[in-house]
Amino acid sequence: MNNQNEIDKLLAMYNEYKNTANKISKLEPKVAKKKILKLDHKDEAKELEILQNKLQQISDEMTFANPIIWIGYKYNAYKDESQPILTLKDLIIHCSKPGYICTKRFNFLNQYLADHGKPTIPENPNFNEDEDLSKLLDSIELKNLTENPDFMKKWQEFEYFKDGGRTAKWENFHG
């Protein structure tokens, strides 16, 4: 499957994720109110549990086979959100939250580059932080990484990590 097809598949999953999250946010207050009023809420609670499990399943299944797919997804999925990711600067800000999975992906990418004598993405003179993120997506630097078997093996070890059968993406990365 090519990168754009994979990005499109992830965007559809993101829409399903947002729709499910919206249903949860509408159902939670109903369940809470019935609990407070000591009314029967078993059916709604069961529906809420099903929706929460579905949300977790979608999240677990949203994996990024390579950094081009990951960044392309971020660019497309968030362009109409309150904090779009349209430039390298936007991506850097998005990936600056400690412990956040995107921070781990971005740190891994930059650590790998630095460890192999290459400039990190923010330090690379080919990238201006205010330019459209599509320049980074089309860059030879990212293309070379996705064609590098060593890099891709390590990326996928983190992206597809399971802990006792539980999806644990990037929990094994400590950089």
Side-chain angles (χ1 to χ4, degrees):
M1 183 174 275
N2 74 29
N3 289 338
Q4 190 56 54
N5 288 345
E6 188 66 21
I7 291 167
D8 291 343
K9 178 181 140 204
L10 287 158
L11 291 171
M13 292 172 80
Y14 182 56
N15 283 331
E16 184 179 2
Y17 183 94
K18 288 192 308 185
N19 289 335
T20 303
N22 188 38
K23 289 177 186 175
I24 289 170
S25 70
K26 288 179 179 176
L27 189 56
E28 283 174 330
K30 291 178 184 177
V31 172
K33 185 176 182 179
K34 283 191 171 189
K35 273 184 176 178
I36 290 168
L37 297 174
K38 298 185 184 333
L39 298 173
D40 180 26
H41 61 276
K42 288 179 185 147
D43 291 343
E44 292 89 348
K46 183 65 178 168
E47 183 182 351
L48 185 58
E49 181 183 353
I50 290 167
L51 288 169
Q52 290 167 331
N53 289 337
K54 180 180 178 182
L55 195 68
Q56 186 61 54
Q57 179 185 359
I58 295 167
S59 179
D60 289 348
E61 291 174 1
M62 289 183 76
T63 56
F64 305 96
N66 66 53
I68 293 173
I69 292 169
W70 168 58
I71 296 169
Y73 162 79
K74 289 292 178 181
Y75 178 79
N76 286 286
Y78 288 77
K79 66 180 156 191
D80 296 325
E81 299 289 335
S82 61
Q83 294 182 327
I85 303 174
L86 303 175
T87 65
L88 177 55
K89 185 178 187 177
D90 296 336
L91 182 66
I92 291 168
I93 291 168
H94 178 78
C95 297
S96 66
K97 301 170 195 130
Y100 185 51
I101 192 168
C102 285
T103 304
K104 291 181 177 193
R105 287 181 181 111
F106 195 66
N107 288 347
F108 169 76
L109 185 58
N110 286 304
Q111 182 179 321
Y112 189 91
L113 289 166
D115 289 350
H116 290 83
K118 302 197 183 309
T120 64
I121 290 173
E123 296 170 339
N124 191 317
N126 294 329
F127 306 130
N128 177 321
E129 67 177 20
D130 294 318
E131 286 182 324
D132 192 270
L133 201 52
S134 60
K135 183 172 181 186
L136 175 62
L137 287 167
D138 294 335
S139 72
I140 192 70
E141 290 88 347
L142 280 185
K143 186 176 185 302
N144 285 344
L145 282 175
T146 62
E147 292 174 356
N148 177 322
D150 177 60
F151 173 84
M152 287 307 302
K153 181 178 183 284
K154 290 175 180 167
W155 173 275
Q156 291 175 354
E157 284 173 8
F158 297 121
E159 187 66 26
Y160 300 111
F161 181 64
K162 301 253 186 209
D163 183 17
R166 176 183 66 84
T167 299
K169 298 178 273 189
W170 293 89
E171 289 180 17
N172 57 335
F173 176 73
H174 305 288

